[in-house]
Amino acid sequence: MLSDSLGKIKAIVGANWGDEGKGKITDIMAADADIVVRFQGGSNAGHTILNQYGKFALHQLPSGIFNENTVNVIGNGCALNLEYLEKEIAKVMEGAPNLKFNLMIDARVPLVLPHHILLDELEEVRRGDRQFGSTKAGIAPFYSDKYLKECIQINEIFHDEHLQYRLKHLYERVNLTLQGVYNAEPMDYMDVYARIMRFKDFIQTHMADASSYLRKSWQEGKNILMEGQLGALRDVGMGIYPYVTSSHTLAGFAAIGAGVPPYAITDILAVTKAYSSCVGASPFVTELFGEEAEELRRRGGDAGEYGATTGRPRRVGYFDAVATRFGAECQAATELALTGLDVLSYLDEIPVCVAYEINGIQTKDFPAPSLLDSAKPVFETLPGFKQEIRHIRKFDDLPENAKNYVRFIEKQVGLPIAVLSNGPKREEIVEL
Ligand code: GDP
């Protein structure tokens, strides 16, 4: 039995392809959180947050950044791009000039370096029409270097000779690749060194042993939130490989990427939208096309159906219970947050994908990625609620058909919906 005096660690993660609305949910929950932690990913995706200061796309900063009493941690599992972070902080400060934000960066966070971005770009060009649709933030080359044990962690920048030695050896290999594979100009490791050193004071100010801080805080009873980026189906292991990100997007990885005991993460809230959306190339079983897609994308306009980081139009479809149940199971979710219910208010009927048909056989189990292209959605159709619902704050006040839709999704996914969001604004939440 864990002691009652221990804190609560809650993870807020995506059940689908990302863009589920985690930013809004985390932003709300961050108000009561002592600490908000990013445990994976980098500047390649983003959360959209709408608050009293305006609308912000956060990429590397944790969503508690606008709350001065919250400590915002970038954990060791993240990919830290200092130059992008500088810009992101500048944008936040532009909107909230008097904000005294509280940022802690784990000493073990590795840096995204200029060659990661360059290699990402060169590789997409080399792939031509077989592109992954990378956001070109250097994430795949970064995680490749991480597992080659050649990344630079921020703690290393305080040891000059050691850092130069590591960079020299790293760029020996990088330059062989740049010149030999891509016929590109080599890079001077001392230029990279200078670009990193510009941030020495900034790192000095924010660097800490975050894992140790988090473990102590947990023991002291603090309220800690782990904030996931992207969704379960983009996890490099369990997701729809190779259309995944290069890190682990699952709550289980928060134990490693933040450095806390796995059994400390007791509450896992998987966020899912009342319909599906997906950015970039990948199989997408419930995808809509033509007018029907255009309408849903337009209605979801406030739901930012254009990627927070990429501005690319999102592909949209009806709710996919097969993918969502799988995603929630991968997340080991204990409850669901359902967002974007308001977006569906125009539909006469709301189809929900309850099974896949693969090679003539119906299944409710999400298949191995290579079977997804042959999966066809099997829909069950529910009556629409045909009413604007953004102003409604109590579940009982929702139209009967909206309530039925919510209950149907709970049943299909097999988890209770603990948070119901019916609009992009912070206060647009329905009490359950
Ligand atoms: P995240 O990465 O999971 O945080 O998702 P994004 O922030 O990229 O995309 C979610 C979008 O949906 C943002 O534009 C939010 O403002 C918006 N949003 C969140 N919840 C709701 C909701 O309940 N209804 C509507 N219409 N939009 C929402």
Side-chain angles (χ1 to χ4, degrees), residues 18-25 46-50 55 230 271 273 275 299-308 314 338-343 390 421-425 428:
D19 304 322
E20 297 93 346
K22 298 175 296 294
K24 171 181 167 175
I25 307 299
H47 293 316
T48 314
I49 288 187
L50 208 56
K55 187 171 181 174
L230 293 168
V271 185
K273 263 201 302 234
Y275 57 100
R299 298 278 177 171
D302 281 340
E305 289 321 341
Y306 294 87
R314 289 178 186 160
L338 186 71
T339 66
L341 185 64
D342 53 300
V343 174
R390 276 198 187 169
S421 166
N422 62 341
K425 296 202 186 113
E428 285 166 339

Side-chain angles (χ1 to χ4, degrees), residues 303-318:
E305 289 321 341
Y306 294 87
T309 297
T310 58
R312 292 184 290 198
R314 289 178 186 160
R315 298 158 69 196
V316 291
Y318 295 120

Side-chain angles (χ1 to χ4, degrees), residues 293-304:
E294 210 32 67
E295 176 88 59
L296 181 52
R297 194 166 18 245
R298 198 170 58 75
R299 298 278 177 171
D302 281 340

Side-chain angles (χ1 to χ4, degrees), residues 16-71:
N16 304 101
W17 303 265
D19 304 322
E20 297 93 346
K22 298 175 296 294
K24 171 181 167 175
I25 307 299
T26 315
D27 186 44
I28 293 170
M29 299 208 161
D32 301 322
D34 299 305
I35 306 167
V36 180
V37 190
R38 290 285 308 267
F39 60 89
Q40 47 82 222
S43 61
N44 53 323
H47 293 316
T48 314
I49 288 187
L50 208 56
N51 61 21
Q52 71 270 37
Y53 302 110
K55 187 171 181 174
F56 299 88
L58 296 180
H59 303 288
Q60 302 184 89
L61 289 169
S63 292
I65 201 73
F66 293 100
N67 186 348
E68 297 190 352
N69 300 320
T70 304
V71 179

